[in-house]
Amino acid sequence: GENVEQHPSTLSVQEGDSAVIKCTYSDSASNYFPWYKQELGKGPQLIIDIRSNVGEKKDQRIAVTLNKTAKHFSLHITETQPEDSAVYFCAASGGGSGGYQKVTFGTGTKLQVIP
Amino acid sequence: DADVTQTPRNRITKTGKRIMLECSQTKGHDRMYWYRQDPGLGLRLIYYSFDVKDINKGEISDGYSVSRQAQAKFSLSLESAIPNQTALYFCATSDLGTGGADTQYFGPGTRLTVL
């Protein structure tokens, strides 16, 4: 089955600096890669996603890159702000249509933005 | 109002007790899931359901059971709780999107402690 590894497990950055979280996956059939942000006391919420036919996607200060050959994808947050402090999860899900495409989550990265 | 709600939000119980966690959603999604979150382990799938008549085991279903009472309601039961079931439990919903990608929408979580 799919295996998703996520690094680092904790990350501290100064406000205004950039943060990068990296994930690798094992199943070459995976074709959808979402990123979730989990704030304290809340459930994870989707912040950005990328599909395997795209190499990069941006949404304001957040970007995700995908390297299918190397089977890794990364989350980039620029100009970090204290409200970016949270736990971030990457995930990978398989290809095909219909049925259940199992979503495998990474183990999470706790990001702390220091004012 | 929240799209995915979970009750209770916190529960402390004793070993051997039967516990039910409830989930309701107003998103109109057919697919519902129960996940367990443990520190350093990310989110692991317990059970999932594609509709009222379709229930499937996830990767860690032992010791748990579920009931899909309606499209909008999906409950998780621990028939005889044990301490290693102490964790944060999340309900999620999804609706298969374009390209076969499932985006998951999570509830706020239930923190369960088994003494």
Side-chain angles (χ1 to χ4, degrees), chain A residues 31-33 49-55 57 66 68, chain B residues 97-103:
Chain A
N31 64 357
Y32 176 61
F33 306 92
D49 56 14
I50 192 167
R51 301 172 197 272
S52 59
N53 59 347
V54 176
K57 183 177 180 181
L66 171 65
K68 288 174 56 180
Chain B
T98 57
D102 267 318
T103 296

Side-chain angles (χ1 to χ4, degrees), chain A residues 33-62:
Chain A
F33 306 92
W35 285 88
Y36 291 86
K37 176 183 180 181
Q38 184 179 14
E39 297 177 332
L40 197 62
K42 298 183 179 180
Q45 285 193 311
L46 179 75
I47 55 171
I48 195 168
D49 56 14
I50 192 167
R51 301 172 197 272
S52 59
N53 59 347
V54 176
E56 183 176 6
K57 183 177 180 181
K58 289 184 180 180
D59 182 4
Q60 299 183 341
R61 297 186 295 108
I62 294 173

Side-chain angles (χ1 to χ4, degrees), chain A:
Chain A
E2 175 68 279
N3 182 48
V4 176
E5 295 189 358
Q6 182 173 346
H7 299 281
S9 56
T10 60
L11 179 60
S12 291
V13 299
Q14 292 291 328
E15 182 177 357
D17 288 350
S18 295
V20 180
I21 302 171
K22 299 181 179 180
C23 289
T24 60
Y25 63 100
S26 60
D27 188 351
S28 58
S30 290
N31 64 357
Y32 176 61
F33 306 92
W35 285 88
Y36 291 86
K37 176 183 180 181
Q38 184 179 14
E39 297 177 332
L40 197 62
K42 298 183 179 180
Q45 285 193 311
L46 179 75
I47 55 171
I48 195 168
D49 56 14
I50 192 167
R51 301 172 197 272
S52 59
N53 59 347
V54 176
E56 183 176 6
K57 183 177 180 181
K58 289 184 180 180
D59 182 4
Q60 299 183 341
R61 297 186 295 108
I62 294 173
V64 56
T65 59
L66 171 65
N67 183 325
K68 288 174 56 180
T69 303
K71 294 193 191 130
H72 66 70
F73 55 112
S74 300
L75 177 71
H76 304 252
I77 306 174
T78 58
E79 301 174 15
T80 54
Q81 301 169 4
E83 52 264 37
D84 294 329
S85 295
V87 178
Y88 292 81
F89 291 96
C90 63
S93 70
S97 60
Y100 175 56
Q101 300 162 60
K102 184 179 185 293
V103 180
T104 302
F105 289 86
T107 51
T109 296
K110 184 176 183 179
L111 173 65
Q112 180 184 21
V113 179
I114 304 167

Side-chain angles (χ1 to χ4, degrees), chain B residues 3-115:
Chain B
D3 294 320
V4 183
T5 58
Q6 292 183 234
T7 55
R9 293 294 313 276
N10 289 282
R11 181 71 183 267
I12 299 173
T13 191
K14 295 182 178 180
T15 297
K17 294 291 187 180
R18 185 178 187 274
I19 295 296
M20 179 180 286
L21 309 182
E22 298 185 339
C23 176
S24 294
Q25 54 114 346
T26 58
K27 299 189 75 65
H29 290 168
D30 288 326
R31 302 180 172 204
M32 298 188 73
Y33 310 80
W34 275 104
Y35 287 91
R36 169 177 171 160
Q37 184 178 37
D38 298 276
L41 295 179
L43 292 153
R44 293 182 292 166
L45 183 66
I46 306 172
Y47 271 95
Y48 63 99
S49 168
F50 281 5
D51 63 40
V52 174
K53 296 181 180 179
D54 181 74
I55 303 290
N56 303 278
K57 292 183 178 180
E59 57 185 305
I60 55 164
S61 59
D62 288 348
Y64 302 95
S65 62
V66 292
S67 173
R68 185 82 183 267
Q69 300 95 326
Q71 187 212 28
K73 295 184 182 296
F74 192 35
S75 60
L76 175 72
S77 293
L78 287 67
E79 297 300 326
S80 180
I82 56 177
N84 75 0
Q85 291 178 312
T86 293
L88 192 54
Y89 290 85
F90 287 102
C91 173
T93 73
S94 74
D95 193 16
L96 192 64
T98 57
D102 267 318
T103 296
Q104 312 250 318
Y105 296 87
F106 288 85
T110 294
R111 183 167 296 282
L112 177 66
T113 303
V114 183
L115 301 176

